Amino acid sequence: MKRPTVIAIEHLTYTYPATERPALRDLSLTIPAGQFCAVLGANGAGKSTLCYALAGFVPHFYRGRMEGRVMVAGHDIAATPPSALVGLVGLVFANPFNQITGACYTVREEVAFGLENLGVPPAEMEPRIAQALAVTGLTDLADRSPFALSGGQQQRLALAAVLAMQPQVLVLDEPTSQLDPAGTREVFAVLGALAARHHTTVVLVSQALEWVATYADRVIVLAEGRLVADGAPTDVLTRPEMETWGVGATRYTQAARRGQAQGLAPTDRPLPVTLPQAVAFWS
Ligand SMILES: Nc1ncnc2c1ncn2[C@@H]1O[C@H](COP(=O)(O)OP(=O)(O)OP(=O)(O)O)[C@@H](O)[C@H]1O
Ligand SMILES: [Mg+2]
């Protein structure tokens, strides 16, 4: 069954105020419901700007010059008031600390905070909170202080608070950059499950190539504001140009290439991007 398109970006060119060079250039992209799409690219490639354009920070907060159109679930983002975007697009940033209010005594209250602001009726709040905590694996920590959580748990709390608002589209800008490998894995597993089971459309900026390779359905690469690659993770992550684009390759791809260069590895198999693929490649 073909999934309906949820995100449609049409020839988006965007330049921040008081700058010359566009941060995004003639970007066109469609993303279907329930797809987990990872965004890669070097520093300054435009990844965060793309997140802002999806969440409406561009053009509602950043202003600047915008051409083209960003449609999310049939809404033209530039023509939709930011207040109406809250239930549509959820944005999660790199640092959970920036997103935890500091005004709540417990994890449960923290998740309730956004719902109260949205004006969700009390009877509807409890099941939404319970579900957001369950999906992020925080049910047992509901009565803890947000400040008594590990970094990974805090990032999952930031995610739970956004999830409780039930956005159709979840946009995450390097949400695991502060996390250790275990925390990173937790967040990716939650996102994978959300896309697969709950049909949430996930757009994720990440440098964690191995986890992107494991969980994402699709990978796009930005370079100097342009879309330069778009495809299945295994294909995109093994492109030779990934070095030029400043993304690099997973250690499994690097090792396989080194092995091939030294005549130690097969040259007739697809390059691996994950550990299970590497095991198959070398055996
Ligand atoms: N608030 C701003 N005002 C002016 N220019 C900006 C602003 N934010 C970003 N830029 C510029 O827009 C371009 C894209 O930046 P963006 O932050 O989207 O890149 P990025 O891919 O997220 O980079 P990073 O990997 O460092 O997070 C860069 O040239 C950057 O300098
Ligand atoms: Mg960024």
Side-chain angles (χ1 to χ4, degrees):
M1 191 189 75
K2 197 169 170 290
R3 293 263 176 78
T5 295
V6 168
I7 294 172
I9 301 176
E10 299 161 9
H11 301 291
L12 173 64
T13 297
Y14 172 73
T15 311
Y16 283 99
T19 65
E20 292 283 315
R21 286 170 7 123
L24 296 173
R25 298 163 191 253
D26 195 24
L27 191 78
S28 292
L29 185 68
T30 60
I31 303 180
Q35 188 170 68
F36 185 163
C37 181
V39 181
L40 307 179
N43 290 337
K47 305 179 300 292
S48 295
T49 309
L50 173 59
C51 294
Y52 298 153
L54 288 170
F57 285 42
V58 163
H60 294 293
F61 177 72
Y62 283 110
R63 310 278 172 187
R65 266 200 329 280
M66 179 175 163
E67 290 160 58
R69 213 159 61 136
V70 178
M71 303 288 292
V72 176
H75 300 266
D76 182 341
I77 293 293
T80 308
S83 59
L85 292 173
V86 176
L88 198 61
V89 186
L91 182 58
V92 178
F93 297 99
N95 188 346
F97 237 74
N98 293 343
Q99 302 170 73
I100 288 172
T101 59
C104 302
Y105 289 107
T106 67
V107 164
R108 183 185 282 105
E109 283 175 38
E110 182 71 38
V111 177
F113 191 84
L115 296 183
E116 283 160 10
N117 285 343
L118 265 185
V120 173
E124 209 185 296
M125 276 176 49
E126 200 41 55
R128 282 208 201 185
I129 294 166
Q131 196 203 13
L133 291 175
V135 168
T136 52
L138 291 172
T139 306
D140 293 343
L141 301 174
D143 297 317
R144 275 239 194 131
S145 161
F147 296 103
L149 301 179
S150 71
Q153 290 164 342
Q154 283 185 342
Q155 188 56 283
R156 280 187 286 146
L157 173 55
L159 184 57
V162 171
L163 285 182
M165 301 197 221
Q166 300 184 337
Q168 286 188 50
V169 174
L170 197 54
V171 179
L172 307 103
D173 191 2
E174 307 205 33
T176 64
S177 58
Q178 314 280 328
L179 306 186
D180 61 10
T184 300
R185 192 206 181 113
E186 287 168 15
V187 170
F188 269 86
V190 168
L191 297 177
L194 277 171
R197 289 197 222 121
H198 301 268
H199 308 308
T200 304
T201 307
V202 177
V203 177
L204 166 80
V205 177
S206 178
Q207 317 272 357
L209 299 185
E210 291 168 38
W211 293 117
V212 164
T214 305
Y215 285 99
D217 299 313
R218 174 181 179 187
V219 170
I220 68 169
V221 181
L222 298 182
E224 297 181 350
R226 290 184 202 283
L227 182 67
V228 291
D230 179 358
T234 318
D235 297 338
V236 175
L237 289 168
T238 54
R239 297 253 183 106
E241 304 96 309
M242 289 295 257
E243 295 296 334
T244 325
W245 294 327
V247 180
T250 71
R251 56 185 147 167
Y252 307 114
T253 309
Q254 289 175 27
R257 282 210 181 102
R258 234 173 284 138
Q260 287 178 337
Q262 294 171 7
L264 302 170
T267 50
D268 58 345
R269 295 180 186 174
L271 287 165
V273 294
T274 63
L275 179 58
Q277 288 176 10
V279 170
F281 178 86
W282 289 100
S283 56

